[in-house]
Amino acid sequence: MLLIVLAYLGGALTILSPCILPVLPFVFARADQPFSRSGLPLLGGMALTFALVATLAAIGGGWVTQANQYGRWAAIVLLGVFGLTLLMPRLADRLMHPLVSAGNRLSALAQSDGQKPRIGSSFLLGIATGLLWAPCAGPILGLVLTGAALRGASVGTTLLLFAYAAGAATSLAVALLIGGRVFTAMKRSLGAGEWVRRGIGAAMLAGVAAIALGFDTGVLARVSTVATGGLEQRLVDTLSPSKGTGNAMQSANATNGTNATNAMQPAADASNAKPGETNEAATGAMMRASAPAAPLPVEGTLPPLTGAVQWLNSPPLTTEQLRGKVVLIDFWTYSCINCLRTLPYVKAWSQKYRDMGLVVIGVHAPEFAFERNIDNVKKASHDLGVDYPIAIDNNYAIWRAFGNQYWPAHYFVDAQGRIRHHHFGEGEYEQSEKVIQQLLAEAGHPDAMKVTTGLPQRANGVEAAADGNDMQSPETYIGYERAENFVSPGGEAADRAHAYAAPSNLGVNDWGLAGTWKVGAEHATLAAPDGRIVYRFHARDLHLVLGPGADGKPVRFRVTIDGAAPGDARGTDVKADGTGVVTEQRLYQLVRQSGDVADHTFAIEFLDPGVEAYAFTFG
């Protein structure tokens, strides 16, 4: 019930956001009609359509997004014609007689001057408006969509999205009721009804143009996050205080700054973890788990490990086979920088305590589509030296069985099959190792308590620990679904090739594209040679998740820092002169600096077409 209230209040806050502006003209086109028969059906159609489309988009595949794009363009045409009839019906009739005649009929049905407004026609216009509506993706909507994407379809998902849409519709209804009285007073006292009607028509055409050009999801969406993100986060923090695992919404991926996807996440020990969600977007208070008590509490039982599509390094393991063993479950995905930085410790624990009865199981739950490719996981696991059992959890079956919400996440299970401790994210490795020792001692291996804790040697490359003391750059997604701080002129053009220009000025954490790119929901693809990505960052390390094109051909690139070759500041995947090659889909370390950290402008130029760029991470 609390989530429904949060979703409703989050939707109501959208009235304060600039990204609602393109929708307002369609709503106020009903301002001079009785609310119950005109405005209310329109808002109901908007809310219902948004809830259904958002549900399908969150849990469905690419076909849903493509179908909605067609629906958006149909709605743009429909509402554009309607706006044209309001603005200049005579001229429009001469220029576009067939379409405008249809628009005039629609206008007549919806307006019904001198008659009772027709509910069905207003509801139809509400559906069309709902197809265009891209509400501000603040913390609360991010929470709902993340849960939908990872947990699968449910009535609850649609109910939460409808509550969000109903909240927005409520605030719009209040504005419409007030606007209707003002409109009526103006017609009565000034005789200005026709001019107001034309003004609304012009505003509708401006809204259609803004949506068609992507300003609703580009410029205005970025401004809106500033406008309401803090309000929504405080609302979440107030109404959803920490109550233990699974009951609070928190900032994740703290090692990468404060730009984390908002998701419903466990409160305990969320630092340096990456939420399983779809967008990464606002800040929140971080909670730390208290040191494990003696004896360790029982947090639950090990759920079945069924649902994995395949196992690597082992035949499928069952809870019955694991009885009598101490088990560490590690949820990870191979392009996640936070997961990679925990791997040295997990691998060391597996080797040190294997003979005493510890079984480490890596549950690989993909974030990006290419991580569903089992051959990619096999190669990455081999290259990373992961030799313990790996369950390929492409359908998130094990993820959901645990109720997990993080990459990485560690669950510690005793010899009786009981979960006794958990830890989310990086850090607290000594504490986690002591938990392993304690559970092994309980299982009859007291010598485990005598083993020296810690890594036998320092981790290198992408597995090296982050410099969290002076890192101000957040994880940044390039696909339009979760992109933030994109400042190339005109914003991102969704799902079509577009010529971008590099921004002339970059603030810290601003980024942009140059060249011809096709930006999809998850990644951007370079459609022609000589494309660039630029980013103004503040961190020691910079990584970028990249892959070659669909043909698999290598893509050459060149990196610069403040316009010069990186030299000694190069990452492990770059030569001193800044050159490198994208050969496979994975995380590439492009910058690794020494000394003091400062603001720098990073640029990567791709000399060949086809490269796919997914996300920046920092360390």
Side-chain angles (χ1 to χ4, degrees):
M1 184 64 187
L2 178 60
L3 276 180
I4 294 177
V5 173
L6 282 172
Y8 179 84
L9 294 176
L13 287 174
T14 60
I15 193 68
L16 303 176
S17 301
C19 68
I20 203 71
L21 291 177
V23 175
L24 290 179
F26 311 135
V27 176
F28 281 106
R30 298 283 153 287
D32 62 337
Q33 301 296 321
F35 178 76
S36 61
R37 297 184 62 85
S38 183
L40 187 60
L42 180 138
L43 294 173
M46 282 179 59
L48 180 62
T49 305
F50 167 74
L52 292 177
V53 170
T55 300
L56 290 174
I59 63 175
W63 67 270
V64 179
T65 303
Q66 192 67 30
N68 189 49
Q69 288 297 319
Y70 293 135
R72 282 172 61 87
W73 282 109
I76 285 172
V77 172
L78 175 67
L79 293 172
V81 169
F82 178 56
L84 200 58
T85 62
L86 290 176
L87 180 62
M88 35 185 195
R90 292 182 181 178
L91 177 60
D93 187 65
R94 292 175 188 156
L95 295 176
M96 303 167 58
H97 186 273
L99 282 176
V100 176
S101 293
N104 279 326
R105 287 194 294 272
L106 178 61
S107 176
L109 285 171
Q111 299 290 330
S112 299
D113 293 331
Q115 307 173 22
K116 290 184 177 181
R118 302 189 182 185
I119 295 175
S121 58
S122 292
F123 185 74
L124 173 64
L125 286 176
I127 290 175
T129 306
L131 288 171
L132 302 182
W133 186 23
C136 315
I140 293 174
L141 184 59
L143 181 155
V144 176
L145 292 176
T146 295
L150 291 176
R151 291 184 179 82
S154 69
V155 175
T157 293
T158 301
L159 184 60
L160 287 172
L161 288 166
F162 188 78
Y164 186 93
T170 299
S171 57
L172 288 172
V174 173
L176 182 57
L177 287 170
I178 297 173
R181 294 179 181 179
V182 173
F183 185 84
T184 301
M186 290 179 66
K187 285 205 306 185
R188 183 172 57 250
S189 61
L190 302 176
E194 182 61 28
W195 286 105
V196 172
R197 177 173 171 148
R198 291 184 179 184
I200 291 174
M204 286 185 68
L205 291 177
V208 166
I211 292 171
L213 293 173
F215 290 134
D216 60 326
T217 55
V219 176
L220 291 177
R222 286 199 301 276
V223 177
S224 72
T225 301
V226 177
T228 63
L231 290 175
E232 290 191 43
Q233 188 63 54
R234 286 194 291 274
L235 183 63
V236 171
D237 293 339
T238 300
L239 296 183
S240 184
S242 301
K243 300 177 186 177
T245 300
N247 288 320
M249 176 166 156
Q250 310 237 340
S251 167
N253 202 8
T255 300
N256 288 339
T258 58
N259 190 358
T261 306
N262 292 281
M264 181 88 176
Q265 299 158 6
D269 199 26
S271 68
N272 305 335
K274 179 177 188 174
E277 89 251 16
T278 109
N279 216 321
E280 285 199 332
T283 62
M286 290 186 300
M287 307 287 295
R288 304 294 293 181
S290 58
L296 294 166
V298 176
E299 299 181 353
T301 58
L302 176 65
L305 300 177
T306 56
V309 299
Q310 188 171 327
W311 285 73
L312 306 181
N313 303 330
S314 168
L317 298 176
T318 66
T319 53
E320 292 76 16
Q321 291 173 312
L322 294 170
R323 194 61 64 93
K325 301 285 188 180
V326 174
V327 180
L328 169 60
I329 302 292
D330 173 27
F331 284 93
W332 72 300
T333 186
Y334 80 83
S335 75
C336 163
I337 187 61
N338 307 95
C339 303
L340 294 174
R341 290 195 289 242
T342 64
L343 271 184
Y345 296 90
V346 178
K347 291 185 291 186
W349 297 335
S350 177
Q351 293 169 3
K352 289 163 65 173
Y353 301 104
R354 183 177 296 165
D355 293 340
M356 298 181 187
L358 175 68
V359 177
V360 176
I361 299 174
V363 178
H364 188 275
E367 178 180 17
F368 298 117
F370 66 80
E371 292 172 312
R372 295 177 178 273
N373 186 313
I374 296 176
D375 288 336
N376 286 350
V377 182
K378 286 180 179 179
K379 185 179 187 306
S381 301
H382 176 269
D383 293 345
L384 293 167
V386 178
D387 60 358
Y388 47 77
I390 299 174
I392 307 296
D393 194 27
N394 280 357
N395 298 323
Y396 294 97
I398 302 174
W399 179 289
R400 287 195 292 267
F402 273 83
N404 183 55
Q405 313 212 24
Y406 285 110
W407 293 287
H410 300 140
Y411 295 87
F412 301 81
V413 183
D414 67 15
Q416 299 179 52
R418 302 175 300 179
I419 298 174
R420 301 287 296 280
H421 186 67
H422 67 270
H423 181 271
F424 303 127
E426 301 176 45
E428 299 188 3
Y429 300 113
E430 184 176 1
Q431 175 184 328
S432 295
E433 188 167 359
K434 287 180 177 178
V435 169
I436 293 172
Q437 292 178 339
Q438 185 170 345
L439 294 181
L440 288 171
E442 290 180 9
H445 298 279
D447 289 347
M449 303 294 291
K450 302 176 183 178
V451 177
T452 302
T453 60
L455 283 178
Q457 59 185 15
R458 186 174 180 178
N460 297 311
V462 295
E463 297 184 15
D467 179 6
N469 295 324
D470 192 10
M471 185 174 60
Q472 301 172 19
S473 290
E475 181 165 17
T476 302
Y477 290 90
I478 293 176
Y480 62 75
E481 272 192 352
R482 292 185 280 180
E484 298 236 338
N485 300 324
F486 180 78
V487 294
S488 284
E492 288 184 304
D495 297 316
R496 61 185 176 88
H498 179 73
Y500 293 90
S504 56
N505 293 302
L506 288 172
V508 175
N509 301 328
D510 286 345
W511 66 283
L513 299 173
T516 303
W517 294 81
K518 181 179 180 181
V519 180
E522 185 178 81
H523 65 273
T525 303
L526 182 61
D530 301 323
R532 288 189 298 138
I533 307 176
V534 295
Y535 196 117
R536 183 77 171 168
F537 74 104
H538 188 105
R540 184 194 69 189
D541 305 337
L542 180 148
H543 315 94
L544 184 55
V545 179
L546 297 167
D551 58 8
K553 293 182 179 179
V555 176
R556 298 167 298 156
F557 65 79
R558 182 183 295 111
V559 165
T560 60
I561 302 174
D562 297 328
D568 292 340
R570 68 186 185 276
T572 55
D573 292 298
V574 180
K575 296 179 181 179
D577 63 357
T579 60
V581 182
V582 177
T583 58
E584 57 187 325
Q585 294 166 314
R586 63 176 175 87
L587 180 143
Y588 289 76
Q589 186 182 81
L590 303 177
V591 176
R592 162 62 64 84
Q593 304 176 81
S594 59
D596 295 337
V597 176
D599 297 348
H600 293 290
T601 298
F602 164 87
I604 182 169
E605 179 183 6
F606 299 98
L607 308 180
D608 306 302
V611 72
E612 297 176 347
Y614 291 81
F616 284 96
T617 57
F618 301 89

